[in-house]
Every structure is written in structure tokens, then in C-alpha cells.
């Protein structure tokens, strides 16, 4: 099929919430092809431990592309142990300038417990305002819901879970089968 004719994979809502001394990254499990749910239990949030430093990453977009980026991020983290910001910037620079990487269609939310970043193929490494970041098809719904809960006494995990539940109720490409990873500074 030509790219224009391919119905396209849809799925993934990833949220990162930083509150108090912890960061939670949560992702749903749905992968859709056109109007069909292909899988409801995909795992799009991973814990990485390059150089003995824990990092949590969630991805939206093409799975193969995301795994390529996660491998590159791990290599950058091994070269700069404990320096997530530097590794993220190096990955974004490579992603923007390397002809092979430029074709990758994915986004990442990463955290080491102290910082949280969104990394895009446009060369962006964004530290979100209000300590909430969200990507993917239901990302805007989850982001709005989480921002509305940030002043409450809920934990980062509760905010992430509740925001994802709201996104799953609104976005047809998001479900309630969550993978949740928590990391502290």
C-alpha cells in the first residue's frame, strides 16, 4: 500500500507527572490500525538503567521507531551517566541531523526523577510547564485533566492514573490498560 492509502496506526497516550519528590510516567495499552483495535495491552512505558542510573521513558508513535530512539538514548546515557538533560539534547541533535533518524515517527517522555523532558524529532527537548507532559493521540485530554488536578492533595501517581482514565473516556485511541512507572529523585 502507498503511504497515503495506509490507514495508519493510532494509539498511545503517555503522561508524565512530577509532584513532590516523584515522577510518574503512565501509558495506555491500545494500538489501533484504522478503526480496529489491534492490541489492548501494549507496554509503552519502560525503565532503563544505563550506567546504573534509572530513567523511565514512555513513547508515542511507531513502536520500531521508538525502540530505535530508546536504544540511542541508552547509548547517550551510558556516555554521560546521570546526565539526562545532556543525553536528551544529544539525542535530539542526532535525531534532527541524521538522515536515517529524521524519518523516525515517535516522541518520548523521559525522566530521571529530578527532571522530566519531552523529546521530539524536530530537535526539541522540552521541560514542561506545570510539571505535566503528555503526548500521543489522547495526550491533550490527559494533559488538561492532570493540570486541573495538580493543586489537589493527590499523589503524582493518582493524578496520572485519573488523567489517563479521563483521556480513555474521551479518546477512542486510548484505553484504560495502564503501564505505570514511578521514579524518585
Amino acid at each position: 500500500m502507498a503511504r497515503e492509502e495506509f490507514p495508519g496506526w493510532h494509539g498511545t497516550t503517555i503522561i508524565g507527572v512530577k509532584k513532590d519528590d516523584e515522577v510518574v510516567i503512565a501509558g495506555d495499552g491500545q494500538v489501533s490500525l484504522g478503526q480496529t483495535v489491534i492490541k489492548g495491552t501494549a507496554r509503552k512505558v519502560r525503565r532503563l538503567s544505563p550506567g546504573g542510573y534509572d530513567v523511565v521513558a514512555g513513547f508515542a508513535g511507531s513502536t520500531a521507531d521508538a525502540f530505535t530512539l530508546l536504544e540511542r538514548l541508552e547509548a547517550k546515557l551510558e556516555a554521560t551517566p546521570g546526565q539526562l538533560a545532556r543525553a536528551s539534547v544529544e539525542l535530539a541533535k542526532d535525531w534532527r541531523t541524521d538522515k536515517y533518524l529524521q524519518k523516525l515517527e515517535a516522541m518520548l517522555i523521559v525522566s530521571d526523577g529530578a527532571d522530566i523532558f519531552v523529546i521530539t524529532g524536530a530537535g526539541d527537548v522540552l521541560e514542561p510547564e506545570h510539571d505535566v507532559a503528555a503526548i500521543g493521540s489522547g495526550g491533550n485530554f490527559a494533559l488538561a485533566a492532570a493540570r486541573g488536578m495538580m493543586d489537589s492533595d493527590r499523589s503524582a501517581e493518582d493524578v496520572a492514573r485519573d488523567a489517563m482514565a479521563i483521556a480513555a473516556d474521551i479518546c477512542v485511541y486510548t484505553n484504560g490498560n495502564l503501564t505505570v512507572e514511578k521514579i524518585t529523585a
Side-chain angles (χ1 to χ4, degrees), residues 1-36:
M1 286 183 139
R3 187 177 185 102
E4 303 82 48
E5 298 170 11
F6 191 73
W9 294 91
H10 290 279
T12 309
T13 299
I14 303 292
I15 191 165
V17 177
K18 180 179 176 184
K19 194 166 182 192
D20 300 323
D21 290 329
E22 69 181 15
V23 175
V24 171
I25 296 181
D28 78 312
Q30 184 166 313
V31 176
S32 303
L33 178 59
Q35 298 175 351
T36 305

PDB file of all heavy atoms in Angstrom, residues 1-36:
ATOM      1  N   MET A   1       0.837  -1.192   0.000  1.00  0.00           N
ATOM      2  CA  MET A   1       0.000   0.000   0.000  1.00  0.00           C
ATOM      3  C   MET A   1       0.876   1.247   0.000  1.00  0.00           C
ATOM      4  O   MET A   1       1.881   1.294   0.705  1.00  0.00           O
ATOM      5  CB  MET A   1      -0.860   0.058   1.256  1.00  0.00           C
ATOM      6  CG  MET A   1      -2.002  -0.872   1.315  1.00  0.00           C
ATOM      7  SD  MET A   1      -2.932  -0.558   2.833  1.00  0.00           S
ATOM      8  CE  MET A   1      -4.548  -0.701   2.202  1.00  0.00           C
ATOM      9  N   ALA A   2       0.465   2.237  -0.720  1.00  0.00           N
ATOM     10  CA  ALA A   2       1.163   3.517  -0.671  1.00  0.00           C
ATOM     11  C   ALA A   2       0.918   4.157   0.688  1.00  0.00           C
ATOM     12  O   ALA A   2      -0.096   3.926   1.327  1.00  0.00           O
ATOM     13  CB  ALA A   2       0.656   4.436  -1.782  1.00  0.00           C
ATOM     14  N   ARG A   3       1.844   4.959   1.106  1.00  0.00           N
ATOM     15  CA  ARG A   3       1.739   5.590   2.422  1.00  0.00           C
ATOM     16  C   ARG A   3       0.426   6.366   2.575  1.00  0.00           C
ATOM     17  O   ARG A   3      -0.189   6.373   3.628  1.00  0.00           O
ATOM     18  CB  ARG A   3       2.944   6.507   2.646  1.00  0.00           C
ATOM     19  CG  ARG A   3       3.001   7.068   4.036  1.00  0.00           C
ATOM     20  CD  ARG A   3       4.263   7.915   4.203  1.00  0.00           C
ATOM     21  NE  ARG A   3       4.344   8.335   5.574  1.00  0.00           N
ATOM     22  CZ  ARG A   3       5.129   7.787   6.473  1.00  0.00           C
ATOM     23  NH1 ARG A   3       5.914   6.796   6.156  1.00  0.00           N
ATOM     24  NH2 ARG A   3       5.156   8.231   7.708  1.00  0.00           N
ATOM     25  N   GLU A   4      -0.032   7.017   1.494  1.00  0.00           N
ATOM     26  CA  GLU A   4      -1.264   7.792   1.554  1.00  0.00           C
ATOM     27  C   GLU A   4      -2.490   6.897   1.735  1.00  0.00           C
ATOM     28  O   GLU A   4      -3.503   7.315   2.263  1.00  0.00           O
ATOM     29  CB  GLU A   4      -1.458   8.633   0.276  1.00  0.00           C
ATOM     30  CG  GLU A   4      -0.317   9.579  -0.041  1.00  0.00           C
ATOM     31  CD  GLU A   4       0.842   8.890  -0.752  1.00  0.00           C
ATOM     32  OE1 GLU A   4       0.635   8.146  -1.723  1.00  0.00           O
ATOM     33  OE2 GLU A   4       1.985   9.092  -0.312  1.00  0.00           O
ATOM     34  N   GLU A   5      -2.409   5.643   1.257  1.00  0.00           N
ATOM     35  CA  GLU A   5      -3.532   4.725   1.345  1.00  0.00           C
ATOM     36  C   GLU A   5      -3.559   3.956   2.655  1.00  0.00           C
ATOM     37  O   GLU A   5      -4.581   3.406   3.036  1.00  0.00           O
ATOM     38  CB  GLU A   5      -3.468   3.720   0.193  1.00  0.00           C
ATOM     39  CG  GLU A   5      -3.568   4.353  -1.171  1.00  0.00           C
ATOM     40  CD  GLU A   5      -3.253   3.347  -2.269  1.00  0.00           C
ATOM     41  OE1 GLU A   5      -3.168   2.140  -2.004  1.00  0.00           O
ATOM     42  OE2 GLU A   5      -3.066   3.789  -3.414  1.00  0.00           O
ATOM     43  N   PHE A   6      -2.433   3.854   3.320  1.00  0.00           N
ATOM     44  CA  PHE A   6      -2.341   3.080   4.553  1.00  0.00           C
ATOM     45  C   PHE A   6      -3.162   3.764   5.633  1.00  0.00           C
ATOM     46  O   PHE A   6      -3.037   4.963   5.850  1.00  0.00           O
ATOM     47  CB  PHE A   6      -0.870   2.978   4.982  1.00  0.00           C
ATOM     48  CG  PHE A   6      -0.646   1.990   6.093  1.00  0.00           C
ATOM     49  CD1 PHE A   6      -0.722   0.628   5.844  1.00  0.00           C
ATOM     50  CD2 PHE A   6      -0.371   2.424   7.371  1.00  0.00           C
ATOM     51  CE1 PHE A   6      -0.522  -0.282   6.849  1.00  0.00           C
ATOM     52  CE2 PHE A   6      -0.166   1.516   8.390  1.00  0.00           C
ATOM     53  CZ  PHE A   6      -0.237   0.153   8.127  1.00  0.00           C
ATOM     54  N   PRO A   7      -4.045   3.030   6.309  1.00  0.00           N
ATOM     55  CA  PRO A   7      -4.942   3.662   7.275  1.00  0.00           C
ATOM     56  C   PRO A   7      -4.225   4.233   8.495  1.00  0.00           C
ATOM     57  O   PRO A   7      -4.750   5.098   9.157  1.00  0.00           O
ATOM     58  CB  PRO A   7      -5.894   2.528   7.677  1.00  0.00           C
ATOM     59  CG  PRO A   7      -5.187   1.274   7.338  1.00  0.00           C
ATOM     60  CD  PRO A   7      -4.275   1.598   6.195  1.00  0.00           C
ATOM     61  N   GLY A   8      -3.035   3.772   8.767  1.00  0.00           N
ATOM     62  CA  GLY A   8      -2.245   4.353   9.850  1.00  0.00           C
ATOM     63  C   GLY A   8      -2.520   3.732  11.209  1.00  0.00           C
ATOM     64  O   GLY A   8      -3.629   3.400  11.542  1.00  0.00           O
ATOM     65  N   TRP A   9      -1.451   3.580  11.947  1.00  0.00           N
ATOM     66  CA  TRP A   9      -1.537   3.093  13.307  1.00  0.00           C
ATOM     67  C   TRP A   9      -1.884   4.267  14.189  1.00  0.00           C
ATOM     68  O   TRP A   9      -1.344   5.342  14.041  1.00  0.00           O
ATOM     69  CB  TRP A   9      -0.185   2.525  13.749  1.00  0.00           C
ATOM     70  CG  TRP A   9       0.230   1.301  13.017  1.00  0.00           C
ATOM     71  CD1 TRP A   9       0.983   1.259  11.883  1.00  0.00           C
ATOM     72  CD2 TRP A   9      -0.065  -0.042  13.347  1.00  0.00           C
ATOM     73  NE1 TRP A   9       1.159  -0.033  11.490  1.00  0.00           N
ATOM     74  CE2 TRP A   9       0.532  -0.856  12.376  1.00  0.00           C
ATOM     75  CE3 TRP A   9      -0.789  -0.641  14.367  1.00  0.00           C
ATOM     76  CZ2 TRP A   9       0.432  -2.230  12.400  1.00  0.00           C
ATOM     77  CZ3 TRP A   9      -0.873  -2.014  14.389  1.00  0.00           C
ATOM     78  CH2 TRP A   9      -0.272  -2.792  13.412  1.00  0.00           C
ATOM     79  N   HIS A  10      -2.786   4.058  15.100  1.00  0.00           N
ATOM     80  CA  HIS A  10      -3.119   5.077  16.078  1.00  0.00           C
ATOM     81  C   HIS A  10      -2.979   4.441  17.449  1.00  0.00           C
ATOM     82  O   HIS A  10      -3.207   3.264  17.619  1.00  0.00           O
ATOM     83  CB  HIS A  10      -4.561   5.574  15.918  1.00  0.00           C
ATOM     84  CG  HIS A  10      -4.775   6.377  14.699  1.00  0.00           C
ATOM     85  ND1 HIS A  10      -4.439   7.707  14.611  1.00  0.00           N
ATOM     86  CD2 HIS A  10      -5.293   6.038  13.506  1.00  0.00           C
ATOM     87  CE1 HIS A  10      -4.755   8.143  13.410  1.00  0.00           C
ATOM     88  NE2 HIS A  10      -5.273   7.147  12.723  1.00  0.00           N
ATOM     89  N   GLY A  11      -2.677   5.252  18.377  1.00  0.00           N
ATOM     90  CA  GLY A  11      -2.649   4.738  19.729  1.00  0.00           C
ATOM     91  C   GLY A  11      -1.672   5.498  20.560  1.00  0.00           C
ATOM     92  O   GLY A  11      -0.966   6.364  20.061  1.00  0.00           O
ATOM     93  N   THR A  12      -1.688   5.171  21.758  1.00  0.00           N
ATOM     94  CA  THR A  12      -0.752   5.676  22.720  1.00  0.00           C
ATOM     95  C   THR A  12      -1.141   7.016  23.272  1.00  0.00           C
ATOM     96  O   THR A  12      -1.274   8.000  22.553  1.00  0.00           O
ATOM     97  CB  THR A  12       0.669   5.807  22.147  1.00  0.00           C
ATOM     98  OG1 THR A  12       1.035   4.596  21.541  1.00  0.00           O
ATOM     99  CG2 THR A  12       1.661   6.099  23.237  1.00  0.00           C
ATOM    100  N   THR A  13      -1.328   7.015  24.526  1.00  0.00           N
ATOM    101  CA  THR A  13      -1.386   8.239  25.298  1.00  0.00           C
ATOM    102  C   THR A  13      -0.388   8.032  26.422  1.00  0.00           C
ATOM    103  O   THR A  13      -0.457   7.029  27.136  1.00  0.00           O
ATOM    104  CB  THR A  13      -2.794   8.494  25.856  1.00  0.00           C
ATOM    105  OG1 THR A  13      -3.692   8.624  24.750  1.00  0.00           O
ATOM    106  CG2 THR A  13      -2.839   9.760  26.694  1.00  0.00           C
ATOM    107  N   ILE A  14       0.547   8.942  26.528  1.00  0.00           N
ATOM    108  CA  ILE A  14       1.577   8.876  27.565  1.00  0.00           C
ATOM    109  C   ILE A  14       1.505  10.164  28.364  1.00  0.00           C
ATOM    110  O   ILE A  14       1.397  11.254  27.788  1.00  0.00           O
ATOM    111  CB  ILE A  14       2.996   8.755  26.960  1.00  0.00           C
ATOM    112  CG1 ILE A  14       3.106   7.535  26.044  1.00  0.00           C
ATOM    113  CG2 ILE A  14       4.061   8.737  28.047  1.00  0.00           C
ATOM    114  CD1 ILE A  14       3.025   6.201  26.737  1.00  0.00           C
ATOM    115  N   ILE A  15       1.585  10.045  29.678  1.00  0.00           N
ATOM    116  CA  ILE A  15       1.607  11.229  30.537  1.00  0.00           C
ATOM    117  C   ILE A  15       2.754  11.103  31.530  1.00  0.00           C
ATOM    118  O   ILE A  15       3.066  10.008  32.003  1.00  0.00           O
ATOM    119  CB  ILE A  15       0.261  11.437  31.269  1.00  0.00           C
ATOM    120  CG1 ILE A  15       0.229  12.809  31.946  1.00  0.00           C
ATOM    121  CG2 ILE A  15      -0.015  10.309  32.261  1.00  0.00           C
ATOM    122  CD1 ILE A  15      -1.143  13.251  32.380  1.00  0.00           C
ATOM    123  N   GLY A  16       3.372  12.228  31.814  1.00  0.00           N
ATOM    124  CA  GLY A  16       4.390  12.311  32.859  1.00  0.00           C
ATOM    125  C   GLY A  16       3.963  13.375  33.857  1.00  0.00           C
ATOM    126  O   GLY A  16       3.613  14.489  33.462  1.00  0.00           O
ATOM    127  N   VAL A  17       3.946  13.018  35.127  1.00  0.00           N
ATOM    128  CA  VAL A  17       3.531  13.935  36.188  1.00  0.00           C
ATOM    129  C   VAL A  17       4.635  13.991  37.234  1.00  0.00           C
ATOM    130  O   VAL A  17       5.051  12.959  37.772  1.00  0.00           O
ATOM    131  CB  VAL A  17       2.216  13.473  36.850  1.00  0.00           C
ATOM    132  CG1 VAL A  17       1.838  14.403  37.997  1.00  0.00           C
ATOM    133  CG2 VAL A  17       1.097  13.403  35.828  1.00  0.00           C
ATOM    134  N   LYS A  18       5.098  15.204  37.518  1.00  0.00           N
ATOM    135  CA  LYS A  18       6.107  15.423  38.548  1.00  0.00           C
ATOM    136  C   LYS A  18       5.433  16.153  39.709  1.00  0.00           C
ATOM    137  O   LYS A  18       4.897  17.251  39.531  1.00  0.00           O
ATOM    138  CB  LYS A  18       7.254  16.266  37.989  1.00  0.00           C
ATOM    139  CG  LYS A  18       8.353  16.547  38.978  1.00  0.00           C
ATOM    140  CD  LYS A  18       9.449  17.367  38.321  1.00  0.00           C
ATOM    141  CE  LYS A  18      10.512  17.728  39.334  1.00  0.00           C
ATOM    142  NZ  LYS A  18      11.527  18.606  38.743  1.00  0.00           N
ATOM    143  N   LYS A  19       5.443  15.520  40.876  1.00  0.00           N
ATOM    144  CA  LYS A  19       4.801  16.122  42.031  1.00  0.00           C
ATOM    145  C   LYS A  19       5.542  15.673  43.278  1.00  0.00           C
ATOM    146  O   LYS A  19       5.873  14.493  43.422  1.00  0.00           O
ATOM    147  CB  LYS A  19       3.326  15.713  42.083  1.00  0.00           C
ATOM    148  CG  LYS A  19       2.516  16.538  43.047  1.00  0.00           C
ATOM    149  CD  LYS A  19       1.038  16.348  42.824  1.00  0.00           C
ATOM    150  CE  LYS A  19       0.311  17.265  43.800  1.00  0.00           C
ATOM    151  NZ  LYS A  19      -1.098  16.974  43.875  1.00  0.00           N
ATOM    152  N   ASP A  20       5.764  16.622  44.169  1.00  0.00           N
ATOM    153  CA  ASP A  20       6.558  16.374  45.370  1.00  0.00           C
ATOM    154  C   ASP A  20       7.925  15.850  44.924  1.00  0.00           C
ATOM    155  O   ASP A  20       8.551  16.472  44.101  1.00  0.00           O
ATOM    156  CB  ASP A  20       5.813  15.447  46.338  1.00  0.00           C
ATOM    157  CG  ASP A  20       4.475  16.065  46.776  1.00  0.00           C
ATOM    158  OD1 ASP A  20       4.426  17.295  46.960  1.00  0.00           O
ATOM    159  OD2 ASP A  20       3.489  15.314  46.903  1.00  0.00           O
ATOM    160  N   ASP A  21       8.362  14.713  45.406  1.00  0.00           N
ATOM    161  CA  ASP A  21       9.691  14.218  45.040  1.00  0.00           C
ATOM    162  C   ASP A  21       9.631  13.000  44.129  1.00  0.00           C
ATOM    163  O   ASP A  21      10.537  12.169  44.143  1.00  0.00           O
ATOM    164  CB  ASP A  21      10.492  13.871  46.302  1.00  0.00           C
ATOM    165  CG  ASP A  21      10.895  15.108  47.080  1.00  0.00           C
ATOM    166  OD1 ASP A  21      11.102  16.158  46.438  1.00  0.00           O
ATOM    167  OD2 ASP A  21      11.002  15.026  48.313  1.00  0.00           O
ATOM    168  N   GLU A  22       8.569  12.886  43.347  1.00  0.00           N
ATOM    169  CA  GLU A  22       8.480  11.739  42.455  1.00  0.00           C
ATOM    170  C   GLU A  22       7.928  12.137  41.094  1.00  0.00           C
ATOM    171  O   GLU A  22       7.248  13.141  40.951  1.00  0.00           O
ATOM    172  CB  GLU A  22       7.634  10.620  43.070  1.00  0.00           C
ATOM    173  CG  GLU A  22       6.167  10.917  43.193  1.00  0.00           C
ATOM    174  CD  GLU A  22       5.385   9.771  43.826  1.00  0.00           C
ATOM    175  OE1 GLU A  22       5.986   8.863  44.432  1.00  0.00           O
ATOM    176  OE2 GLU A  22       4.159   9.794  43.727  1.00  0.00           O
ATOM    177  N   VAL A  23       8.273  11.317  40.127  1.00  0.00           N
ATOM    178  CA  VAL A  23       7.742  11.452  38.776  1.00  0.00           C
ATOM    179  C   VAL A  23       7.088  10.132  38.418  1.00  0.00           C
ATOM    180  O   VAL A  23       7.655   9.065  38.661  1.00  0.00           O
ATOM    181  CB  VAL A  23       8.837  11.806  37.754  1.00  0.00           C
ATOM    182  CG1 VAL A  23       8.274  11.822  36.339  1.00  0.00           C
ATOM    183  CG2 VAL A  23       9.481  13.137  38.079  1.00  0.00           C
ATOM    184  N   VAL A  24       5.925  10.210  37.838  1.00  0.00           N
ATOM    185  CA  VAL A  24       5.213   9.033  37.350  1.00  0.00           C
ATOM    186  C   VAL A  24       5.006   9.211  35.857  1.00  0.00           C
ATOM    187  O   VAL A  24       4.570  10.269  35.408  1.00  0.00           O
ATOM    188  CB  VAL A  24       3.854   8.870  38.070  1.00  0.00           C
ATOM    189  CG1 VAL A  24       3.020   7.784  37.405  1.00  0.00           C
ATOM    190  CG2 VAL A  24       4.064   8.565  39.541  1.00  0.00           C
ATOM    191  N   ILE A  25       5.359   8.180  35.107  1.00  0.00           N
ATOM    192  CA  ILE A  25       5.052   8.148  33.684  1.00  0.00           C
ATOM    193  C   ILE A  25       4.108   6.978  33.469  1.00  0.00           C
ATOM    194  O   ILE A  25       4.388   5.852  33.897  1.00  0.00           O
ATOM    195  CB  ILE A  25       6.325   8.024  32.820  1.00  0.00           C
ATOM    196  CG1 ILE A  25       7.201   9.271  33.019  1.00  0.00           C
ATOM    197  CG2 ILE A  25       5.949   7.853  31.345  1.00  0.00           C
ATOM    198  CD1 ILE A  25       8.465   9.291  32.203  1.00  0.00           C
ATOM    199  N   ALA A  26       2.976   7.268  32.840  1.00  0.00           N
ATOM    200  CA  ALA A  26       1.951   6.252  32.596  1.00  0.00           C
ATOM    201  C   ALA A  26       1.588   6.249  31.124  1.00  0.00           C
ATOM    202  O   ALA A  26       1.566   7.294  30.478  1.00  0.00           O
ATOM    203  CB  ALA A  26       0.706   6.541  33.445  1.00  0.00           C
ATOM    204  N   GLY A  27       1.298   5.063  30.611  1.00  0.00           N
ATOM    205  CA  GLY A  27       0.875   4.925  29.230  1.00  0.00           C
ATOM    206  C   GLY A  27      -0.237   3.906  29.105  1.00  0.00           C
ATOM    207  O   GLY A  27      -0.279   2.938  29.870  1.00  0.00           O
ATOM    208  N   ASP A  28      -1.117   4.138  28.150  1.00  0.00           N
ATOM    209  CA  ASP A  28      -2.199   3.185  27.928  1.00  0.00           C
ATOM    210  C   ASP A  28      -1.690   2.015  27.100  1.00  0.00           C
ATOM    211  O   ASP A  28      -0.537   1.988  26.698  1.00  0.00           O
ATOM    212  CB  ASP A  28      -3.383   3.874  27.247  1.00  0.00           C
ATOM    213  CG  ASP A  28      -3.162   4.077  25.769  1.00  0.00           C
ATOM    214  OD1 ASP A  28      -2.073   4.560  25.395  1.00  0.00           O
ATOM    215  OD2 ASP A  28      -4.058   3.762  24.983  1.00  0.00           O
ATOM    216  N   GLY A  29      -2.562   1.050  26.839  1.00  0.00           N
ATOM    217  CA  GLY A  29      -2.126  -0.150  26.144  1.00  0.00           C
ATOM    218  C   GLY A  29      -2.701  -0.343  24.761  1.00  0.00           C
ATOM    219  O   GLY A  29      -2.495  -1.374  24.151  1.00  0.00           O
ATOM    220  N   GLN A  30      -3.414   0.643  24.230  1.00  0.00           N
ATOM    221  CA  GLN A  30      -4.116   0.434  22.968  1.00  0.00           C
ATOM    222  C   GLN A  30      -3.267   0.768  21.753  1.00  0.00           C
ATOM    223  O   GLN A  30      -2.620   1.803  21.700  1.00  0.00           O
ATOM    224  CB  GLN A  30      -5.394   1.275  22.931  1.00  0.00           C
ATOM    225  CG  GLN A  30      -6.219   1.034  21.676  1.00  0.00           C
ATOM    226  CD  GLN A  30      -7.609   1.598  21.790  1.00  0.00           C
ATOM    227  OE1 GLN A  30      -8.261   1.392  22.793  1.00  0.00           O
ATOM    228  NE2 GLN A  30      -8.044   2.320  20.772  1.00  0.00           N
ATOM    229  N   VAL A  31      -3.338  -0.139  20.769  1.00  0.00           N
ATOM    230  CA  VAL A  31      -2.770   0.110  19.446  1.00  0.00           C
ATOM    231  C   VAL A  31      -3.881  -0.167  18.455  1.00  0.00           C
ATOM    232  O   VAL A  31      -4.502  -1.226  18.486  1.00  0.00           O
ATOM    233  CB  VAL A  31      -1.566  -0.809  19.153  1.00  0.00           C
ATOM    234  CG1 VAL A  31      -1.056  -0.588  17.740  1.00  0.00           C
ATOM    235  CG2 VAL A  31      -0.461  -0.588  20.172  1.00  0.00           C
ATOM    236  N   SER A  32      -4.160   0.808  17.580  1.00  0.00           N
ATOM    237  CA  SER A  32      -5.237   0.673  16.604  1.00  0.00           C
ATOM    238  C   SER A  32      -4.684   0.806  15.203  1.00  0.00           C
ATOM    239  O   SER A  32      -3.717   1.518  14.967  1.00  0.00           O
ATOM    240  CB  SER A  32      -6.281   1.780  16.813  1.00  0.00           C
ATOM    241  OG  SER A  32      -6.777   1.749  18.119  1.00  0.00           O
ATOM    242  N   LEU A  33      -5.305   0.101  14.293  1.00  0.00           N
ATOM    243  CA  LEU A  33      -4.994   0.224  12.869  1.00  0.00           C
ATOM    244  C   LEU A  33      -6.290   0.642  12.204  1.00  0.00           C
ATOM    245  O   LEU A  33      -7.249  -0.128  12.150  1.00  0.00           O
ATOM    246  CB  LEU A  33      -4.494  -1.100  12.298  1.00  0.00           C
ATOM    247  CG  LEU A  33      -4.174  -1.112  10.807  1.00  0.00           C
ATOM    248  CD1 LEU A  33      -3.101  -0.084  10.469  1.00  0.00           C
ATOM    249  CD2 LEU A  33      -3.723  -2.497  10.383  1.00  0.00           C
ATOM    250  N   GLY A  34      -6.340   1.911  11.780  1.00  0.00           N
ATOM    251  CA  GLY A  34      -7.596   2.436  11.241  1.00  0.00           C
ATOM    252  C   GLY A  34      -8.638   2.442  12.346  1.00  0.00           C
ATOM    253  O   GLY A  34      -8.421   2.995  13.412  1.00  0.00           O
ATOM    254  N   GLN A  35      -9.750   1.767  12.107  1.00  0.00           N
ATOM    255  CA  GLN A  35     -10.829   1.733  13.085  1.00  0.00           C
ATOM    256  C   GLN A  35     -10.819   0.459  13.930  1.00  0.00           C
ATOM    257  O   GLN A  35     -11.759   0.195  14.669  1.00  0.00           O
ATOM    258  CB  GLN A  35     -12.176   1.843  12.366  1.00  0.00           C
ATOM    259  CG  GLN A  35     -12.331   3.140  11.626  1.00  0.00           C
ATOM    260  CD  GLN A  35     -13.620   3.184  10.833  1.00  0.00           C
ATOM    261  OE1 GLN A  35     -14.320   2.211  10.690  1.00  0.00           O
ATOM    262  NE2 GLN A  35     -13.921   4.367  10.311  1.00  0.00           N
ATOM    263  N   THR A  36      -9.759  -0.318  13.829  1.00  0.00           N
ATOM    264  CA  THR A  36      -9.689  -1.596  14.530  1.00  0.00           C
ATOM    265  C   THR A  36      -8.643  -1.564  15.630  1.00  0.00           C
ATOM    266  O   THR A  36      -7.513  -1.140  15.407  1.00  0.00           O
ATOM    267  CB  THR A  36      -9.327  -2.724  13.534  1.00  0.00           C
ATOM    268  OG1 THR A  36     -10.268  -2.707  12.466  1.00  0.00           O
ATOM    269  CG2 THR A  36      -9.334  -4.070  14.208  1.00  0.00           C
TER     270      THR A  36
END
